[in-house]
């Protein structure tokens, strides 16, 4: 009952009422809508505790393993430090909290993702082959787009227009086809969740 | 060359280089930097979520303004913590059920209009104010492209007979689309590298006079 | 010649990394000064903001984190500066925690370089968890969703927020994102409330946005560092005209030059790789 039936009933009741309220312009429906928006923010915010529990649990376990202990200790200490400076020193411009964000978190995250450019260069060189008609078509389009987006491409007559045409006609048609398929899929999944057909979210 | 004297810039530069060291191979400097990131990012997220979400949008209305109905989202929110006690961990399904139910319900009619009705409408009626020959050809190409791509992803019927040439056209459009995405992706990836080099050369080493 | 080409197609990883590094570094040290031309999606957004009446409000949602900073941050900074110069009030918020810090950074630049006054010439609302509930909630009453700004000041005490209740009082929303968040703005704010939306997106998802540009669900878009450079270049012209020469930024303009060289290198790598592949295949067949 508490484990499966109530959650499934909640999804059904909230799902049906929330869908119907869109079509019912009644003050009661509006009140429900306003209340739900406020509750969603409250419940959504509290999900951070789930992240905290799994973060602390994961690194606490690793503290007992010699090879991981120093790293996990650093992760926990970094977390505690950031939390303390945030709550004690404030979050305004110039605070230690913001400085930690600009000079520690931002460069670390930005650099991690910048490594991808090297891997992409290496992959282009090794794996991007015109082996078939489809691959050749992809390659030719990619070449035209790559040249057109460069600053030089701006100054070659006809190139900016060619880029805009590729993006706004054949590319757009293909992306719209995909988007229509994706939306049909996601609407169907939402309906299946509300009606209790799709229950994977309940977990094990 | 005006190398920076700001200790924060130095910290950022050293951490940047520690991450770049992964290009050579995985090493303790990289791992240390990676774990600093995980800790700092979690702390940052927690402080902001508390100060900008949990307190002003849940605790304050309930405990300061005494809006008693907020006790419901508060209790649902507390249920996330049930994961700490394995025996009661199933209570975590309740807040999820609430968010999934309301979220799906609110999104169905809107997503239907935004991603289906509007998209189909503008495929069939691209320009209500009339069009030139060129625009007409483009509109026709868009219509053919959208229909054949959608049919390509229709797997309930085998791609044989009349479906074979139709889906073949769909593949042509898809490949052009993927090529366009790939062409743009190069820019996305290299922008990140350019950004880091601008920081190292400009903000840290001070060899880019145009970067303040 | 054939042997040379086959050899050229079998460079090791370190050599490729080295070529890429030098290719990106050189144009940063020796700028090419090529300038920028606006593409249609950029021009539509620029013109929209440029022609807004003074005192209008635009909502800028920094829905990204540092992983996409080099592409999106120059967009946000350029639009904040553009708005401030035109007397339009940018309200900066975020659906992700990290976006708040980046939004503060963009506004700080406008404060230091243009003398913009916080809470009068711009407002920072900050992060609010809840995603779709936040977007929908602003359509009802922004004060119910953001009772205070990011640092705890009640919205009623902020002069720039006077008269702003919901989307009816906001001329445009621009969502900056490395993912699909701008689509959520279209689904919830545009479809339900008729709010005009534009987007600042990374190049990786640029191609996916065209269907929504054609329908007018986005009134304009800045796409990747190219879009950032185009907008930045245009705002620089305006800054120079208005006497704020020192506030000019060429982060994206120069970055795009380095990016252009990197594009040529990738094209070269693909060509060389393919020549080597076909020559080796031919030799094996012979």
């Amino acid at each position: 009952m508490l484990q499966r039936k109530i959650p499934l009933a909640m999804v059904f009741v909230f799902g049906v009422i929330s869908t119907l309220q869109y079509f019912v312009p009644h003050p009661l429906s509006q009140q429900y809508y306003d209340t739900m928006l406020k509750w969603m923010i409250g419940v959504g915010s509290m999900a951070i505790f789930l992240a905290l529990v799994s973060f602390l649990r994961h690194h606490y376990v690793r503290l007992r393993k010699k090879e991981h202990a120093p790293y996990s200790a650093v992760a926990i200490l970094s977390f505690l430090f950031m939390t303390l400076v945030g709550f004690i020193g404030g979050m305004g411009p110039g605070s230690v909290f913001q400085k930690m964000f600009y000079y520690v978190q931002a460069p670390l995250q930005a650099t991690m993702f910048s490594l991808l450019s090297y891997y992409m260069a290496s992959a282009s060189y090794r794996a991007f082959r015109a082996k078939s008609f489809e691959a050749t078509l992809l390659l030719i389009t990619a070449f035209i787009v790559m040249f057109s987006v460069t600053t030089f491409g701006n100054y070659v007559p006809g190139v900016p227009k060619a880029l805009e045409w590729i993006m706004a006609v054949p590319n757009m048609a293909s992306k719209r086809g995909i988007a229509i398929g994706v939306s049909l899929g996601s609407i169907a999944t939402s309906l299946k969740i509300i009606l209790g057909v799709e229950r994977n979210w309940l977990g094990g | 060359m005006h190398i920076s004297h700001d200790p924060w810039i130095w910290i950022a530069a050293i951490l940047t280089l520690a991450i770049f060291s992964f290009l050579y191979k995985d090493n303790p400097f990289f791992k240390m930097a990676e774990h600093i990131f995980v800790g700092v990012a979690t702390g940052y997220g927690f402080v902001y979520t508390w100060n900008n979400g949990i307190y002003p949008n849940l605790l304050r209305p309930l405990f300061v303004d005494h809006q008693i109905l907020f006790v419901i989202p508060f209790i649902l929110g507390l249920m996330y913590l049930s994961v700490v006690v394995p025996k009661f961990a199933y209570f975590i399904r309740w807040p999820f059920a609430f968010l999934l139910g309301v979220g799906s319900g609110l999104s169905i009619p809107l997503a239907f209009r935004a991603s289906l009705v509007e998209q189909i409408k503008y495929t069939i009626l691209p320009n209500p104010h009339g069009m030139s020959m060129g625009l007409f050809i483009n509109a026709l190409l868009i219509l053919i492209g959208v229909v054949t791509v959608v049919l390509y992803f229709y797997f309930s019927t085998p791609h044989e007979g009349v479906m074979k040439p139709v889906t073949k056209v769909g593949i042509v459009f898809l490949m052009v689309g993927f090529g366009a995405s790939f062409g743009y992706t190069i820019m996305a990836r290299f922008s990140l590298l350019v950004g880091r080099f601008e920081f190292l050369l400009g903000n840290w080493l001070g060899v880019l006079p145009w970067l303040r | 010649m054939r042997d040379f080409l086959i050899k050229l197609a079998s460079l090791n990883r370190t050599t490729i990394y080295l070529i890429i590094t030098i290719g990106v570094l050189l144009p940063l040290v020796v700028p090419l000064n090529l300038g920028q031309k606006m593409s249609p999606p950029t021009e539509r957004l620029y013109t929209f903001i440029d022609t807004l009446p003074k005192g209008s409000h635009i909502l800028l949602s920094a829905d990204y984190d540092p992983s996409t900073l080099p592409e999106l941050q120059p967009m946000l900074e350029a639009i904040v500066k553009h708005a401030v110069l035109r007397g339009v009030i940018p309200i900066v918020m975020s659906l992700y925690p990290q976006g708040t810090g980046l939004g503060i950074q963009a506004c700080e630049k406008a404060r230091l370089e243009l003398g913009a006054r916080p809470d009068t010439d711009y407002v920072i609302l900050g992060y609010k968890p809840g995603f779709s509930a936040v977007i929908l909630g602003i359509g009802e009453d922004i004060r119910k969703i953001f009772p205070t700004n990011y640092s705890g000041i009640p919205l009623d005490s902020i002069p720039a927020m006077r008269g702003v209740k919901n989307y009816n009082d906001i001329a445009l929303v621009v969502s900056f994102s490395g993912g699909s968040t701008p689509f959520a703005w279209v689904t919830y704010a545009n479809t339900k409330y008729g709010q005009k939306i534009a987007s600042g997106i990374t190049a990786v998802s640029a191609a996916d946005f065209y269907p929504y540009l054609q329908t007018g669900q986005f009134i304009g878009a800045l796409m990747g560092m190219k879009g950032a450079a185009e907008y930045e270049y245009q705002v620089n012209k305006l800054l120079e005209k208005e006497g704020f020469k020192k506030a000019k930024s060429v982060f994206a303009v120069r970055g795009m030059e380095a990016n252009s060289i990197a594009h040529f290198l990738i094209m070269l790598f693909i060509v060389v790789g393919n020549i080597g592949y076909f020559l080796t295949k031919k030799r094996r067949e012979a």
Side-chain angles (χ1 to χ4, degrees):
Chain A
M1 182 76 183
L2 293 175
Q3 294 185 25
R4 298 181 74 90
K5 281 187 182 158
I6 291 185
L8 283 171
M10 278 171 74
V11 168
F12 179 76
V13 172
F14 282 116
V16 170
I17 299 175
S18 301
T19 310
L20 291 180
Q21 71 76 33
Y22 179 78
F23 304 98
V24 184
H26 189 272
L28 207 63
S29 159
Q30 184 61 32
Q31 205 178 342
Y32 166 84
Y33 175 68
D34 285 345
T35 310
M36 284 307 114
L37 294 182
K38 284 190 262 181
W39 286 12
M40 274 175 91
I41 294 175
V43 178
S45 307
M46 294 284 276
I48 189 74
F49 287 114
L50 193 60
L52 286 188
V53 168
S54 84
F55 166 82
L56 291 171
R57 191 187 265 168
H58 174 77
H59 287 288
Y60 178 73
V61 170
R62 282 169 44 125
L63 276 178
R64 285 180 225 155
K65 292 177 186 158
K66 209 178 157 193
E67 70 272 30
H68 297 305
Y71 303 118
S72 286
V74 164
I76 293 173
L77 286 174
S78 306
F79 162 72
L80 291 176
F81 179 73
M82 198 64 177
T83 309
L84 278 177
V85 295
F87 283 125
I88 296 168
M91 316 183 302
S95 61
V96 177
F97 182 74
Q98 287 301 342
K99 282 199 184 321
M100 284 290 289
F101 175 72
Y102 298 139
Y103 297 108
V104 176
Q105 188 178 338
L108 282 170
Q109 199 174 358
T111 314
M112 264 178 216
F113 282 84
S114 77
L115 295 179
L116 287 172
S117 54
Y118 286 103
Y119 302 137
M120 189 154 208
S122 185
S124 304
Y125 180 64
R126 285 162 210 282
F128 205 5
R129 303 278 184 259
K131 280 183 182 171
S132 62
F133 166 72
E134 287 86 357
T136 312
L137 195 60
L138 193 150
L139 201 86
I140 291 169
T141 315
F143 258 69
I144 298 172
V145 171
M146 272 192 264
F147 176 71
S148 311
V149 297
T150 62
T151 311
F152 303 99
N154 276 338
Y155 296 96
V156 181
V159 164
K161 280 207 162 148
L163 174 69
E164 204 46 38
W165 183 82
I166 290 178
M167 299 310 290
V169 180
N171 164 68
M172 199 275 278
S174 100
K175 295 293 151 64
R176 181 171 285 167
I178 295 171
I180 289 173
V182 170
S183 347
L184 281 171
S186 65
I187 292 169
T189 308
S190 294
L191 280 172
K192 279 161 80 178
I193 289 174
I194 291 175
L195 298 174
V197 181
E198 164 66 56
R199 297 178 179 196
N200 277 339
W201 63 273
L202 285 169
Chain B
M1 188 163 151
H2 302 284
I3 199 161
S4 172
H5 296 295
D6 184 345
W8 285 105
I9 297 271
W10 275 82
I11 291 172
I14 291 165
L15 292 174
T16 300
L17 294 175
I19 298 289
F20 272 136
S21 70
F22 187 76
L23 286 172
Y24 173 61
K25 65 176 185 183
D26 197 1
N27 64 75
F29 295 107
F30 171 79
K31 271 196 188 133
M32 201 55 91
E34 191 188 17
H35 283 77
I36 291 174
F37 167 69
V38 173
V40 169
T42 311
Y44 182 86
F46 176 54
V47 173
Y48 261 114
T49 308
W50 181 274
N51 283 332
N52 290 18
I54 296 174
Y55 181 72
N57 293 67
L58 187 62
L59 300 186
R60 196 187 151 87
L62 178 61
F63 295 110
V64 181
D65 304 335
H66 302 295
Q67 298 180 37
I68 200 69
L69 270 181
F70 272 89
V71 77
I72 298 171
F74 179 66
I75 291 170
L76 281 172
L78 284 180
M79 286 176 170
Y80 284 119
L81 290 169
S82 65
V83 283
V84 180
V85 190
K87 203 179 156 191
F88 298 110
Y90 57 80
F91 274 114
I92 199 172
R93 292 170 183 163
W94 291 40
F96 279 140
F98 169 75
L99 290 176
L100 269 175
V102 181
S104 304
L106 292 181
S107 79
I108 287 173
L110 294 173
F112 188 80
R113 259 182 67 191
S115 304
L116 280 177
V117 177
E118 290 294 306
Q119 296 301 319
I120 293 169
K121 192 169 96 186
Y122 277 83
T123 304
I124 307 166
L125 306 165
N127 191 343
H129 309 296
M131 55 174 75
S132 65
M133 194 60 187
L135 286 178
F136 175 74
I137 293 170
N138 283 347
L140 200 65
L141 277 172
I142 290 169
L143 179 66
I144 294 169
V146 172
V147 172
T148 52
V149 168
V150 171
L151 285 174
Y152 175 78
F153 287 109
Y154 184 70
F155 296 118
S156 301
T157 308
H159 291 179
E160 290 164 359
V162 74
M163 279 290 274
K164 200 175 174 185
V166 169
T167 51
K168 189 87 184 160
V169 176
I171 293 176
V172 169
F173 275 94
L174 279 171
M175 288 303 141
V176 174
F178 292 149
S181 292
F182 179 81
Y184 260 104
T185 300
I186 303 282
M187 192 204 296
R189 298 297 172 240
F190 275 95
S191 299
L192 303 174
L193 188 64
V194 168
R196 293 328 294 151
F197 283 177
E198 284 185 328
F199 167 76
L200 287 175
L201 292 181
N203 303 77
W204 183 42
L205 296 176
V207 291
L208 304 179
W210 50 267
L211 194 80
R212 281 164 293 108
Chain C
M1 183 67 183
R2 177 179 287 196
D3 288 338
F4 171 72
L5 283 170
I6 291 176
K7 214 173 168 186
L8 199 65
S10 51
L11 294 175
N12 65 14
R13 202 181 55 161
T14 318
T15 316
I16 293 173
Y17 289 0
L18 206 68
I19 294 171
I20 287 293
T21 306
I22 295 168
V24 174
L25 281 180
L26 263 182
L28 291 178
V29 181
V30 189
L32 301 169
N33 293 318
L34 289 173
Q36 286 291 331
K37 281 183 184 165
M38 283 202 282
S39 55
T42 307
E43 199 171 356
R44 286 204 289 270
L45 176 55
Y46 183 88
T47 312
F48 188 92
I49 294 178
D50 208 54
T51 49
L52 281 174
K54 270 193 175 166
S56 310
H57 292 79
I58 55 172
L59 184 67
L60 307 178
S61 193
D63 303 327
Y64 60 101
D65 61 29
S67 67
T68 50
L69 186 142
E71 287 185 281
L72 302 176
Q73 189 68 9
M75 294 179 189
L76 179 62
E77 288 179 8
I79 292 185
V80 168
K81 281 183 188 171
H82 187 197
V84 168
L85 278 177
R86 282 280 170 253
V88 171
I89 299 167
I91 304 168
V92 184
M93 61 162 281
S94 179
L95 296 173
Y96 298 94
Q98 292 95 328
T100 309
L102 301 170
I104 293 173
Q105 200 174 26
C107 292
E108 270 296 282
K109 283 207 169 170
R111 184 179 72 83
L112 296 169
E113 294 169 4
L114 301 179
R117 294 158 299 172
D119 298 338
T120 304
D121 298 322
Y122 65 84
V123 183
I124 306 171
L125 294 183
Y127 164 62
K128 192 62 63 182
F131 210 73
S132 54
V134 176
I135 303 175
L136 289 168
I138 297 172
E140 299 300 315
D141 185 352
I142 196 165
R143 280 165 184 77
K144 283 187 186 155
I145 305 300
F146 288 95
T148 65
N149 75 350
Y150 80 106
S151 60
I153 300 173
L155 253 54
D156 287 327
S157 319
I158 296 176
M161 289 305 288
R162 223 170 278 146
V164 181
K165 186 176 190 295
N166 53 33
Y167 289 128
N168 291 334
D169 312 303
I170 295 168
L172 177 72
V173 170
V174 190
S175 168
F176 302 86
S177 164
S180 58
T181 314
F183 293 131
W185 282 99
V186 163
T187 304
Y188 298 110
N190 172 265
T191 310
K192 188 161 170 82
Y193 298 99
Q195 173 62 47
K196 286 195 169 71
I197 313 280
S199 57
I201 46 178
T202 52
V204 75
S205 51
D208 301 337
F209 279 70
Y210 273 85
Y212 295 82
L213 274 169
Q214 192 234 12
T215 55
Q217 287 165 298
F218 289 116
I219 61 127
L222 303 184
M223 298 177 171
M225 196 174 246
K226 180 178 157 65
E230 290 169 357
Y231 208 98
E232 192 179 76
Y233 192 75
Q234 208 60 28
V235 171
N236 281 348
K237 280 196 214 165
L238 193 65
L239 286 165
E240 193 153 341
K241 206 173 122 193
E242 303 280 333
F244 291 104
K245 221 172 171 182
K246 279 190 173 169
K248 280 168 45 176
S249 161
V250 285
F251 185 91
V253 174
R254 293 275 178 275
M256 205 46 222
E257 290 173 0
N259 225 318
S260 302
I261 302 297
H263 276 68
F264 284 115
L265 286 175
I266 293 288
M267 286 194 261
L268 195 69
F269 281 145
I270 295 175
V271 171
V272 170
N274 271 287
I275 291 174
Y277 166 73
F278 283 110
L279 288 179
T280 317
K281 197 176 152 192
K282 226 175 177 181
R283 178 173 283 180
R284 235 182 268 141
E285 282 165 2

